[in-house]
Amino acid sequence: MPSRFHHPPDTASVLGLPIHLMPDYAGWLFNHLQARQGVHVVTLNAEMAMQGEQNAALARIIHQAELVIPDGAGVVLYLRLRGINAQRVPGIELAEMLLRRSPTTSPPSTVFFYGGAPGVAAAAAQRWQERIPGLHIVGTANGYLSATEQQDLQAQLKALQPNLILVGLGVPRQEFWIVQHRHLCPHAIWIGVGGSFDIWSGQKTRAPSWLRNNHLEWVYRLYQEPWRWRRMLALPKFAWRALRYSERQLQK
Ligand code: UDP
């Protein structure tokens, strides 16, 4: 009998983009890993949904991803306004869950970190390695490679066949890169993790939990990275669109 984890996920819609709802994303992903079924995970937040409206290629990638998780208070609120009780799963937390569980798979899963300024992914890997001695991070690369280094990275991925590949190049660069290169490791889980390496390496900090729990992580990001203000105008635009957009698919 097929495991419930192999069932296609329940799909909701945010501004016409899919969101997959399930109680245990990590379990579903590890089942796919075991079955050698590659997965591209997209962590959808309001900023990305707004980019998807402007960028048809990005929207297509989100539609094609095997798993799209609700990463962001805006997206969860959007769904709740439409009577769908979604739980927020920040991409960084899903990645952390997978890292913690990867030594427990049989055989243990191997991991690759790609992205961030030079040294950042390596520092993040070292911290994780200290925290979880059984974790098997097989390689790291920074996100500013020359054309030759990029070729080397691709050859390395092909040779190593890591099971879990975290790509932190920012949106939408990381999504495009994953789609163009996932054929190198067709059985892997590929996730765009944005600035997670910056946080794991200690370069940046996440918002305190009282802000996160009150859906205000964005306020902290604005305080830490004020130059993001222009990008973050996507948030009020998203709120406006959220109130006006009619998800006809949902009413069917
Ligand atoms: N980055 C990178 N290569 C690039 C551009 C960006 O590795 O060519 C990294 C950058 O160092 C940072 C991450 O991508 O670690 C982007 O983080 P951000 O928090 O801005 O992600 P987003 O909000 O776009 O998901």
Side-chain angles (χ1 to χ4, degrees):
M1 208 175 84
S3 133
R4 70 189 172 93
F5 290 122
H6 283 116
H7 288 172
D10 284 342
T11 307
S13 176
V14 170
L15 296 182
L17 297 169
I19 280 267
H20 299 131
L21 303 174
M22 61 178 77
D24 178 11
Y25 291 104
W28 190 89
L29 284 168
F30 278 121
N31 261 273
H32 277 68
L33 202 58
Q34 220 72 52
R36 295 172 63 75
Q37 291 171 344
V39 178
H40 176 196
V41 184
V42 167
T43 68
L44 189 73
N45 61 20
E47 242 180 88
M48 193 174 183
M50 290 308 290
Q51 282 195 44
E53 284 222 312
Q54 309 293 322
N55 184 336
L58 177 62
R60 213 164 24 246
I61 288 175
I62 300 170
H63 275 283
Q64 284 164 1
E66 287 82 4
L67 190 65
V68 185
I69 67 164
D71 166 1
V75 164
V76 165
L77 191 64
Y78 181 102
L79 292 171
R80 291 207 177 140
L81 282 173
R82 287 159 176 81
I84 299 166
N85 195 14
Q87 218 46 52
R88 180 176 175 224
V89 181
I92 186 165
E93 288 177 20
L94 177 68
E96 290 171 357
M97 236 183 292
L98 295 174
L99 288 172
R100 272 190 225 103
R101 279 173 70 167
S102 66
T104 68
T105 60
S106 162
S109 305
T110 54
V111 181
F112 199 99
F113 285 180
Y114 169 43
V120 168
Q126 196 185 338
R127 283 199 169 191
W128 270 105
Q129 211 69 80
E130 284 161 10
R131 211 175 309 161
I132 306 180
L135 184 61
H136 201 35
I137 300 178
V138 290
T140 65
N142 78 71
Y144 299 86
L145 300 176
S146 66
T148 327
E149 291 168 332
Q150 177 65 225
Q151 293 295 325
D152 291 348
L153 165 66
Q154 291 169 27
Q156 205 185 354
L157 286 174
K158 202 166 173 186
L160 292 169
Q161 290 297 311
N163 304 116
L164 175 61
I165 303 168
L166 305 186
V167 182
L169 302 175
V171 177
R173 189 181 278 108
Q174 61 197 19
E175 281 69 34
F176 286 116
W177 192 88
I178 289 174
V179 165
Q180 280 160 14
H181 297 95
R182 62 182 291 195
H183 66 93
L184 296 170
C185 306
H187 310 304
I189 299 171
W190 299 74
I191 312 182
V193 294
S196 299
F197 301 135
D198 296 325
I199 290 171
W200 294 334
S201 66
Q203 300 269 314
K204 284 184 192 152
T205 47
R206 275 193 87 189
S209 56
W210 65 271
L211 278 178
R212 300 209 303 255
N213 296 342
N214 288 294
H215 309 298
L216 293 172
E217 191 153 16
W218 61 273
V219 174
Y220 189 76
R221 285 206 93 173
L222 196 56
Y223 157 73
Q224 235 189 8
E225 303 167 69
W227 56 89
R228 292 178 83 95
W229 71 271
R230 197 183 286 278
R231 280 179 58 179
M232 289 181 73
L233 288 178
L235 299 177
K237 281 189 200 142
F238 176 84
W240 177 243
R241 295 280 290 122
L243 292 171
R244 295 174 49 103
Y245 193 86
S246 118
E247 289 282 5
R248 275 180 220 96
Q249 299 95 311
L250 292 178
Q251 270 102 57
K252 268 187 200 162

